[in-house]
């Protein structure tokens, strides 16, 4: 079998997701050429068809993996569904449908491999349990498209870019904890929480600020 701990997952505009197996990280003394990437010594392992309607909906918007070896894919397919693939069998093991518009970002919880959240242009941020086809909760962004979101390190907060507003929800109370409206002047397109510091987050937007 193929050792999967060194897989690299990529997506493109062709409605497919490629899983590659790569070599170990580059040593510190290695000088990577400009525009180059660390070589993948085995090549492509598998291609996942993200959408059943590839000709009309060619875009893959996001991919993410959990610690259990599952790959989630957000593509602009029928029903704006999120597909979850089992890396051991290479088959689709779950389809999460419910968004009314394109799903821009998906992330697995660092604490629970069955927990996934999705951010959509339908102005909702949804929590999913892979053991159920329906979302466990839906947060509203008040009519604003959500382009990016992330969960903090201790799994207690969700942070999302709602237009130019950075909004934080408390997952324990399911209520808005705070809003940051004076950071960006245009849509927030990237949000990342610190992997160990629960109170730290970075954001980037179309205003060129990050």
């Amino acid at each position: 079998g193929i050792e999967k701990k060194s897989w690299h997952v990529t997506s493109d505009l062709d409605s497919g997701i490629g899983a590659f197996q790569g070599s170990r990280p580059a040593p510190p003394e290695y000088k990577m050429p400009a525009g180059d990437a660390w070589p993948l010594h085995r090549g492509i392992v598998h291609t996942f068809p993200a959408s059943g309607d590839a000709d009309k909906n060619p875009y893959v918007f996001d991919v993410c993996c959990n610690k259990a070896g599952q790959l989630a894919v957000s593509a602009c397919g029928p029903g704006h569904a999120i597909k979850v693939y089992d890396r051991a069998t290479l088959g689709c093991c779950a389809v999460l449908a419910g968004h009314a518009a394109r799903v821009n970002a998906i992330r697995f919880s660092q604490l629970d491999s069955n927990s996934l959240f999705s951010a959509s242009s339908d102005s909702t941020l949804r929590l999913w349990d892979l053991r159920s086809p329906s979302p466990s909760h839906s947060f509203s962004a008040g009519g604003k498209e959500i382009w990016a979101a992330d969960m903090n390190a201790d799994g207690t907060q969700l942070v999302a870019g709602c237009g130019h507003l950075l909004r934080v929800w408390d997952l324990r109370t399911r209520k808005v904890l705070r809003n940051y409206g004076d950071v960006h002047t245009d849509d927030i397109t990237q949000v990342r929480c610190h992997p160990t510091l629960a109170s730290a987050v970075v954001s980037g937007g179309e205003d060129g600020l990050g």
Side-chain angles (χ1 to χ4, degrees):
I2 299 171
E3 185 181 9
K4 301 180 179 67
K5 65 181 180 181
S6 58
W7 277 24
H8 304 262
V9 179
T10 64
S11 64
D12 209 331
L13 302 182
D14 56 4
S15 191
I17 297 89
F20 296 83
Q21 187 170 19
S23 54
R24 285 181 287 179
E29 65 272 14
Y30 177 76
K31 301 299 182 182
M32 187 176 293
D36 201 358
W38 184 245
L40 301 174
H41 67 79
R42 298 251 182 140
I44 192 163
V45 174
H46 190 68
T47 300
F48 301 89
S51 169
D53 195 14
D55 292 335
K56 297 180 180 179
N57 301 284
Y59 296 105
V60 173
F61 286 95
D62 205 4
V63 295
C64 64
C65 295
N66 63 9
K67 295 179 180 178
Q70 292 171 314
L71 167 71
V73 179
S74 164
C76 191
H80 309 287
I82 302 162
K83 292 187 176 182
V84 182
Y85 293 88
D86 189 309
R87 202 167 53 172
T89 65
L90 304 180
C92 181
C93 59
V95 177
L96 309 176
H99 281 292
R102 147 183 94 237
V103 179
N104 299 311
I106 50 176
R107 292 284 183 278
F108 278 107
S109 167
Q110 297 184 56
L111 307 178
D112 182 2
S113 292
N114 285 313
S115 181
L116 176 119
F117 64 89
S118 56
S120 172
S121 290
D122 66 5
S123 189
T124 65
L125 183 66
R126 302 193 182 200
L127 291 176
W128 305 85
D129 187 315
L130 296 189
R131 295 163 292 194
S132 172
S134 301
S136 59
H137 194 75
S138 180
F139 300 91
S140 174
K144 301 289 187 181
E145 289 188 76
I146 306 177
W147 292 101
D150 204 0
M151 183 180 291
N152 72 341
D154 62 9
T156 60
Q157 297 174 8
L158 279 178
V159 186
C162 308
H164 76 281
L165 187 73
L166 191 67
R167 177 165 291 178
V168 183
W169 284 276
D170 190 317
L171 289 174
R172 296 161 294 191
T173 64
R174 306 295 172 96
K175 295 181 179 180
V176 175
L177 187 62
R178 60 181 62 90
N179 291 306
Y180 297 96
D182 55 354
V183 179
H184 291 279
T185 59
D186 209 337
D187 286 346
I188 296 172
T189 56
Q190 292 293 326
V191 174
R192 288 293 183 273
C193 293
H194 194 280
T196 58
L197 300 177
S199 59
V201 61
V202 295
S203 61
E206 292 183 350
D207 53 6
L209 298 177

